[in-house]
Amino acid sequence: MVLCQGGEAAAVPAVSGKEPEVLLSREDGAGTGQPCLCPAPGMEAAGAEERRVCGCCSGLSWPRCCKAPGTKKKAACPGLGLFYTVLSAFLFSVASLFLKKIEDVHSVEVSAFRCVFQMAFVLPGLIYYKTGFLGPKGKRIFLFFRGVLGSSAMILLYYAFQVMPLADATVITFSSPVFTSLLAWIFLKEKYSIWDLLFTLFAITGVVLIARPPFLFGSNVTGIEGSYTDHLKGTIAAVTSTVSAASTFVILRKVGKSVHYFLSIWYYAVIGLIGCVIALFVMNEWRLPYCGKDRVLLVLIGLLGLGGQIFLTKALQIEKAGPVAIMKTMDVVFAFILQILFLNHLPTWWTVGGALCVVASSSGTAIRKWRQSLKKAKENEI
C-alpha cells in the first residue's frame, strides 16, 4: 500500500521484511492534508482494472506518478557527475596555464582579481537565500579562520604556479586529502589508522621526489624552471598551501551544515581581497598589467576558476565524494599535458615518480573514506 499526500515521495523503512511504503506530500494545495491511499502494484482497485489512476498525483497512471515501492529512481544521465569533475579539472588546469603565461602581474594581484569574481558570484546568492553577511554568532570565528586559511592557500598556490613547473605544483596540492585526515585526527579526534599513516608517508615521499633537496640529491639538480632557490620557494609555498587547504576542510567539517556554503565562500572572498590589497600596498606591487594580453588572461583566470568551482560543486551534488575525489586526479594529467604542449617543459622521472606517489596516496585515502561511508550507510539502514 502507498500512503500519498501529494507530489514528493519519501520512503518509509521496511518492517519485518515487508516492502517499504512510499509517503507522498501534496504541494499543489488541492488536498486537505489527510493521507489518501493509492493502489500498489499487483492490487486491483475497484472499477480501475483497465486504467489504474492515482488521484493524488496529477491523475497520471500508476507507474508514472508513484514509483513502485522498493524501486530506485534511475539517474537522468549516468556518469554526469564524473563528467562535471573532469570538466572542472580541465578548467582549473587551463586557469593555471594562463597564470604561467602572465608576465607582469604578481600572484597576490591575481588572487585579488579572483576574489572579486568570487564576490560578484556569491553576492546575489546571499541576497536570494537571505543568509546575511556575518553568519551565526557562534560560527563567525570559524568562518573568519576559514577565510584566512582559504585565501592564504590560494595566494601561495598561485605563487607556486609562477615560480615552479606547473605539474610539480599541481601534484603537491594533491596531497591535501592526506593532510586533511591527519589534521582531522588531531583537532576533531577522528579515527586515524595505520592505512592513513601509510598514505601520509607516500605523500611526503612524493613531495620529496619533486622538491629534490640538495642534502639528499646533491647540488646538481636538473629539470627545474629557473634557479633552484625559486624551485625550493615554490615547493614550500605549495606545501603550505596544501596544509592551509586541509585546515580549511577541517574547519568546514567542524561547522557542518549549520552555515550556508555561499556564506563560507563569501568570507573566503572578502577576507582574501582585503588581505591581498594590504599585501600589495605593503610590497608596492599594485598595478594594472601593461599588456592587454595580461588583462585578458586575468579575466579568463577569474572566469575559469569560477567555472571550475561551479562544476565541482555540481559534481558533488549528484555523485558520491569518493568517485569525484578519484576522478579529480585528472588535474595532474591535464597539468602534465598542458606543460608539455604549451610550456615546452618535459617533466623529469623524479616528477613522474613523485606524481605516482601522491596520486596513489590521495586516491587510496579517497577510496578508504568512500568505503567507510558506504559501510556506515548500510549500518544505519539496518
Side-chain angles (χ1 to χ4, degrees):
M1 187 67 67
V2 179
L3 188 63
C4 299
Q5 289 183 342
E8 215 171 47
V12 179
V15 180
S16 303
K18 297 179 180 179
E19 288 293 327
E21 296 177 340
V22 178
L23 179 63
L24 299 170
S25 59
R26 181 186 296 271
E27 294 181 354
D28 56 6
T32 61
Q34 298 296 327
C36 62
L37 298 178
C38 297
M43 298 180 61
E44 294 184 357
E49 294 180 2
E50 295 294 330
R51 178 176 177 266
R52 292 205 308 247
V53 173
C54 176
C56 62
C57 300
S58 305
L60 298 176
S61 59
W62 168 266
R64 293 177 59 193
C65 64
C66 302
K67 291 293 184 180
T71 59
K72 296 182 179 179
K73 183 179 180 181
K74 292 184 179 180
C77 182
L80 184 60
L82 299 182
F83 172 75
Y84 283 154
T85 307
V86 175
L87 184 56
S88 170
F90 178 74
L91 294 178
F92 280 134
S93 299
V94 175
S96 304
L97 174 65
F98 288 164
L99 182 62
K100 294 285 291 183
K101 290 291 187 179
I102 290 181
E103 300 175 354
D104 298 322
V105 182
H106 197 277
S107 59
V108 179
E109 187 172 350
V110 179
S111 303
F113 275 93
R114 172 74 180 275
C115 290
V116 170
F117 275 92
Q118 296 276 20
M119 292 174 62
F121 170 74
V122 171
L123 185 58
L126 293 178
I127 297 173
Y128 177 80
Y129 289 108
K130 299 179 181 179
T131 61
F133 296 94
L134 297 178
K137 288 185 178 180
K139 306 295 182 181
R140 292 175 185 174
I141 185 66
F142 294 109
L143 289 171
F144 173 78
F145 281 110
R146 182 267 185 271
V148 171
L149 291 170
S151 57
S152 299
M154 175 184 60
I155 295 170
L156 291 169
L157 179 60
Y158 281 2
Y159 175 77
F161 280 141
Q162 286 189 332
V163 299
M164 68 185 303
L166 180 63
D168 291 14
T170 303
V171 168
I172 292 176
T173 60
F174 258 79
S175 58
S176 179
V178 179
F179 289 109
T180 301
S181 299
L182 179 61
L183 294 175
W185 171 60
I186 296 174
F187 295 104
L188 301 181
K189 308 303 179 184
E190 293 186 2
K191 186 178 179 181
Y192 191 80
S193 68
I194 188 66
W195 283 105
D196 294 309
L197 177 60
L198 180 63
F199 293 144
T200 302
L201 294 177
F202 257 92
I204 294 175
T205 301
V207 173
V208 170
L209 291 177
I210 293 173
R212 282 167 285 163
F215 67 89
L216 289 178
F217 293 86
S219 57
N220 187 19
V221 180
T222 59
I224 62 175
E225 289 183 359
S227 65
Y228 181 77
T229 302
D230 287 339
H231 181 81
L232 187 59
K233 289 180 180 179
T235 301
I236 295 173
V239 172
T240 308
S241 171
T242 301
V243 175
S244 298
S247 303
T248 301
F249 294 147
V250 172
I251 291 175
L252 292 175
R253 194 175 295 177
K254 175 70 175 178
V255 172
K257 297 181 179 179
S258 61
V259 176
H260 198 281
Y261 68 92
F262 269 167
L263 193 60
S264 174
I265 299 175
W266 173 257
Y267 266 82
Y268 160 78
V270 171
I271 294 177
L273 180 60
I274 294 173
C276 288
V277 171
I278 294 174
L280 288 170
F281 276 105
V282 170
M283 298 184 300
N284 196 25
E285 289 284 349
W286 178 263
R287 63 180 183 272
L288 286 175
Y290 298 113
C291 176
K293 182 189 73 172
D294 285 349
R295 299 180 185 182
V296 174
L297 291 178
L298 272 177
V299 175
L300 290 176
I301 289 172
L303 292 175
L304 290 170
L306 182 59
Q309 282 195 336
I310 291 173
F311 281 112
L312 182 59
T313 302
K314 289 179 69 67
L316 290 170
Q317 287 176 342
I318 62 178
E319 185 61 78
K320 291 183 174 62
V324 171
I326 297 171
M327 190 59 68
K328 261 191 68 63
T329 55
M330 289 299 297
D331 279 11
V332 176
V333 177
F334 286 133
F336 274 100
I337 294 174
L338 294 177
Q339 176 176 297
I340 295 171
L341 293 180
F342 297 99
L343 301 177
N344 297 320
H345 185 85
L346 291 174
T348 64
W349 287 109
W350 295 112
T351 298
V352 174
L356 292 176
C357 288
V358 172
V359 169
S361 174
S362 60
S363 299
T365 302
I367 293 172
R368 186 172 178 275
K369 296 295 182 184
W370 180 27
R371 293 184 62 183
Q372 286 179 344
S373 64
L374 293 177
K375 183 180 179 181
K376 187 176 181 180
K378 290 181 179 179
E379 291 175 352
N380 291 336
E381 289 179 358
I382 297 174

